[in-house]
Amino acid sequence: MFPIRQHTPSNTRPPAAAIGAQSPVYGNDRISLIGFHDQGFVIRSRAKLHDGRLQSAILDLHRRVGGSSTNLTDGLRHAVEVLRKTPSGILRRVWLLTDGYPNRQQEHLWRRVAEAREARINVNCIGFGDRFDAALLQRISQATHRGRFVSVQSLRALTDALATGPARGGPHRAEHTVYAIDLSGSMVLEQMQGRAKIAVVQDALIQLLHHKMKCFA
């Protein structure tokens, strides 16, 4: 569970619209890791930043690549279900990464997007490589709470996109972030900068994890 600390400034009064709303929670972040190909599946849920099993799960992502389709819809469904269990007052965010075109359960996609919006979940979409449905990813992001779309074609660009957030120091609004990663076959069969795409993603996630540990130690 999250270590919960309510933060209420002693010398300010909340605006009328905020009275009765859930106060922000300040504390440590949590990370969940989800994969999807023919279907979505939870790999690690609500892990602490220093949990060694989280790093091991990231390094083993290449072993989970498979299937013959890209079920982005089910990946998003699992992400929303995990984040719904997050206590109120904690920021909820999804990074949804895909290198292709979703081609399974597409008829349910916008229902899942609506569920994310209703739960005030920020869904950021990453188009990875040069063959993905940019228009669809933009629509998903724009339809959710403060979501954004990013196109990346290198390790540096992916690392920069993921490593957003507050600078080190001062109180930190607790956040639960789900990384939903496309693990369809193209992630090992196709390359980026001379390496399998999934290897680039693993490196970016490990760098991100180390960055967060330094910032919020």
Side-chain angles (χ1 to χ4, degrees):
M1 296 297 292
F2 289 86
I4 297 177
R5 295 189 287 114
Q6 302 293 344
H7 180 79
T8 304
S10 58
N11 60 346
T12 60
R13 182 177 180 180
I19 295 176
Q22 176 65 42
S23 299
V25 172
Y26 288 72
N28 296 327
D29 287 354
R30 293 290 185 273
I31 289 177
S32 292
L33 191 62
I34 286 172
F36 61 92
H37 39 64
D38 291 343
Q39 63 281 320
F41 44 93
V42 178
I43 300 172
R44 288 296 301 165
S45 180
R46 294 181 292 278
K48 296 180 180 180
L49 298 178
H50 291 81
D51 186 344
R53 292 171 296 181
L54 175 60
Q55 180 165 309
S56 295
I58 293 172
L59 295 174
D60 282 343
L61 282 176
H62 63 284
R63 302 180 187 277
R64 293 179 173 266
V65 173
S68 58
S69 58
T70 303
N71 196 337
L72 182 148
T73 300
D74 205 38
L76 182 57
R77 178 180 70 84
H78 279 282
V80 171
E81 287 181 354
V82 166
L83 286 172
R84 276 178 172 163
K85 300 174 184 177
T86 302
S88 297
I90 295 172
L91 295 175
R92 307 173 182 190
R93 190 188 312 274
V94 175
W95 282 99
L96 185 64
L97 182 149
T98 182
D99 75 328
Y101 287 73
N103 53 14
R104 192 163 188 172
Q105 293 189 5
Q106 293 167 279
E107 68 275 14
H108 301 306
L109 174 60
W110 296 107
R111 181 191 309 171
R112 303 307 176 203
V113 173
E115 290 170 352
R117 182 174 180 83
E118 290 167 5
R120 292 188 65 79
I121 294 171
N122 176 315
V123 179
N124 296 324
C125 294
I126 294 179
F128 191 64
D130 55 9
R131 288 187 291 179
F132 53 83
D133 193 337
L136 177 65
L137 298 181
Q138 288 176 328
R139 286 182 61 199
I140 292 171
S141 297
Q142 292 170 358
T144 57
H145 180 64
R146 296 182 180 177
R148 65 189 183 96
F149 164 71
V150 184
S151 173
V152 301
Q153 297 183 345
S154 68
L155 172 60
R156 176 62 181 272
L158 179 57
T159 303
D160 288 348
L162 294 176
T164 58
R168 185 173 183 176
H172 167 62
R173 177 82 179 269
E175 178 179 303
H176 183 185
T177 306
V178 173
Y179 297 93
I181 309 299
D182 186 343
L183 296 178
S184 56
S186 59
M187 291 294 285
V188 294
L189 295 175
E190 297 178 5
Q191 294 191 340
M192 176 178 285
Q193 297 180 305
R195 305 171 62 205
K197 287 180 176 178
I198 190 60
V200 175
V201 172
Q202 289 177 174
D203 279 358
L205 288 174
I206 290 295
Q207 289 185 34
L208 171 71
L209 187 59
H210 292 166
H211 167 75
K212 280 182 168 288
M213 286 191 290
K214 289 179 180 179
C215 288
F216 311 126

